[in-house]
Amino acid sequence: MPAKTTQRLAKPPAVAGGLARVLAHIDAHLDEPLDGACLSRVAAMSRHHFHRRFAAAFGVSVLRYVRLRRLKRAAWQLAFRRQAGVAQIALACGYDGPEAFARAFRRSTGQSPSAFRRQPQWRTWHAAYDPLMHLRSTHMQPSEQAVRIVDFPATRVAALEHRGDPRLLGETIARFVAWRKAHGLPPRLAATYNIAWTDPARTPPADYRMDLCVATAADIADDGSGMVAKTIPPGRCAVLRHVGSDDLLGLSAQRLVRDWLPASGEARGDFPLFFQRVAFFPDVPENEAVVDLFLPLAPHG
């Protein structure tokens, strides 16, 4: 996919500087000690003023915020990376042992870690975390990236169609991960795509649609898994690289569709926005996850 043109988006507007620095610092240092003294220095505020400002902005203390960020990573590891044991995940979250971790996880999700691993109650998890995600998207911005225009080749994929409440997407992801493991199609060998048929911010939950896809030219058997063969069509696409949390992925999509497209002189194509997952959370820290957003463009002429 050779790059044809490159255009840099305008730098995003400044957000609450001290708090934004703290959020970015927490994301980048989640495996390190993060106490109030350290974070108040990052914010360039006195400890008292920082704690008061943070709690007023987020509705939780900064230490509670750090715990929720670590527990999100733990939830992803429990649900989608079953090779990690509960004790190992507990230590990575900064707990001395699995008992303290289990108590904190249950308080946040209503389930023990082992119960969540067996059958996550995603609606309950989202009820606890979604308000924090909304506040993160209010106080943070994706990193500034250039938009490229590329020629995307026709790409055959095996697709699992998610239809309905986006809060249950985790169930579809688990089925998708299990299928690609069973068929020897890990991310390092087969590209991962998401096709965003609808915008979750503007679509009723019952009407939400997204396809989870893995690139493969193999025939897809009707084996009851729900996987079907599809093709992402060829054509010109504007590409914007998103680096960081999916909490901010919607902001990157807005920049591409609502800001870049009208200013570019290009017209949107018929196929929906789709993503290629390049580096995956929780395999990499959330702030290092990489997603390329593809916006199909109308042909010239």
Side-chain angles (χ1 to χ4, degrees):
M1 294 181 293
K4 299 300 184 182
T5 62
T6 301
Q7 179 177 332
R8 187 167 294 278
L9 289 170
K11 189 174 182 179
V15 293
L19 294 183
R21 285 196 304 274
V22 169
L23 299 183
H25 182 88
I26 291 170
D27 280 3
H29 299 86
L30 208 55
D31 287 328
E32 303 172 18
L34 293 167
D35 57 26
C38 161
L39 296 175
S40 62
R41 287 194 296 271
V42 173
M45 301 177 190
S46 70
R47 289 185 65 175
H48 174 74
H49 184 55
F50 165 66
H51 283 283
R52 187 166 52 82
R53 284 274 312 274
F54 193 98
F58 286 90
V60 295
S61 72
V62 66
L63 298 183
R64 171 65 175 159
Y65 175 88
V66 170
R67 284 196 294 271
L68 285 171
R69 295 292 293 142
R70 288 173 172 158
L71 288 172
K72 177 186 178 180
R73 180 179 61 184
W76 255 240
Q77 291 171 324
L78 289 166
F80 307 125
R81 299 296 184 269
R82 295 178 178 269
Q83 67 272 23
V86 172
Q88 179 184 354
I89 294 172
L91 291 174
C93 284
Y95 292 91
D96 293 334
E99 294 80 9
F101 168 67
R103 288 194 297 270
F105 194 87
R106 185 187 291 275
R107 282 196 300 269
S108 293
T109 67
Q111 292 183 277
S112 69
S114 57
F116 189 89
R117 170 160 274 175
R118 287 194 303 270
Q119 188 173 3
Q121 299 298 315
W122 285 110
R123 285 194 175 97
T124 303
W125 185 89
H126 278 283
Y129 189 79
D130 282 359
L132 201 64
M133 182 183 72
H134 173 72
L135 287 167
R136 281 169 57 80
S137 67
T138 301
H139 287 274
M140 302 178 75
Q141 287 283 348
S143 59
E144 184 182 358
Q145 301 286 339
V147 175
R148 300 175 293 128
I149 297 180
V150 303
D151 292 322
F152 186 84
T155 302
R156 291 186 61 193
V157 297
L160 184 59
E161 301 172 338
H162 177 89
R163 303 293 184 262
D165 193 343
R167 292 175 299 176
L168 299 181
L169 187 59
E171 296 178 0
T172 308
I173 294 172
R175 291 165 50 208
F176 175 74
V177 170
W179 185 91
R180 70 185 301 172
K181 283 182 178 178
H183 289 78
L185 294 170
R188 70 179 185 277
L189 299 178
T192 304
Y193 296 96
N194 301 156
I195 303 175
W197 295 100
T198 59
D199 179 353
R202 306 173 67 182
T203 306
D207 297 330
Y208 177 70
R209 299 174 60 206
M210 174 177 279
D211 290 355
L212 309 181
C213 308
V214 54
T216 177
D219 293 333
I220 308 303
D222 184 6
D223 57 4
S225 66
M227 300 295 293
V228 296
K230 295 191 178 187
T231 298
I232 301 176
R236 298 170 62 251
C237 291
V239 184
L240 174 63
R241 172 154 289 192
H242 173 87
V243 181
S245 171
D246 269 19
D247 293 349
L248 309 182
L249 189 59
L251 296 179
S252 287
Q254 288 178 18
R255 276 199 216 166
L256 186 58
V257 175
R258 300 182 190 179
D259 299 338
W260 179 85
L261 184 63
S264 68
E266 297 282 353
R268 188 166 182 173
D270 295 331
F271 198 73
L273 187 75
F274 62 96
F275 314 144
Q276 181 178 359
R277 300 277 176 175
V278 179
F280 291 74
F281 169 76
D283 298 331
V284 300
E286 196 168 7
N287 66 302
E288 297 177 10
V290 178
V291 181
D292 285 338
L293 286 71
F294 288 81
L295 178 65
L297 302 174
H300 279 158

